[in-house]
Structure formats: C-alpha cells, structure tokens
Amino acid sequence: MKLKVVLELSNEGGYTVYVPSLPGCISEGETIEEALENIQEAIELYLEPLEDEITQEGTIVRELVL
C-alpha cells in the first residue's frame, strides 16, 4: 500500500507529519527520518481494527491485501 504523507516544519522544532487520506493520523519527529518512522507506526495503528468493532454477531471478517 502506498500512502502520501505531508511533512511540515513545526514551530517548536522538528517536523509534524500527517496522512491526508487518513483523517486524524498525525505524528511528529525531531528529524525527517524520525517523523517518517513515527508516522509509519501511527498508520499501522490507525488501520488496525479494534476487536470490539468486528466481533458483532452476523458479521464476516476478511483480510484484504492492497
């Protein structure tokens, strides 16, 4: 899966990074590399479904690889 991320210089120093296609998925880091590592972790957590959300009676869960 490919996602575009936006890095912006932070007023406090370092970088703020967010994913336009994933509302609310935001992170930061002191360097570009750190910011990118942090946003990757944030994306993984953002996309990980909560067990409570998918264990309702009558639901079918399938995994898609993009």
Side-chain angles (χ1 to χ4, degrees):
M1 173 185 293
K2 291 184 180 182
L3 295 170
K4 291 188 180 188
V5 299
V6 177
L7 291 123
E8 297 177 341
L9 284 171
S10 176
N11 292 336
E12 298 82 29
Y15 295 87
T16 298
V17 58
Y18 65 93
V19 186
S21 61
L22 302 175
C25 189
I26 187 169
S27 191
E28 57 189 8
E30 290 297 317
T31 64
I32 291 175
E33 292 78 18
E34 182 181 344
L36 291 174
E37 288 175 16
N38 292 341
I39 197 64
Q40 183 169 346
E41 182 180 350
I43 291 167
E44 291 168 359
L45 292 171
Y46 185 100
L47 295 176
E48 184 177 282
L50 298 176
E51 290 297 319
D52 294 342
E53 292 178 5
I54 61 174
T55 56
Q56 300 172 5
E57 185 176 330
T59 58
I60 298 171
V61 177
R62 294 287 188 256
E63 186 174 295
L64 297 177
V65 177
L66 304 174

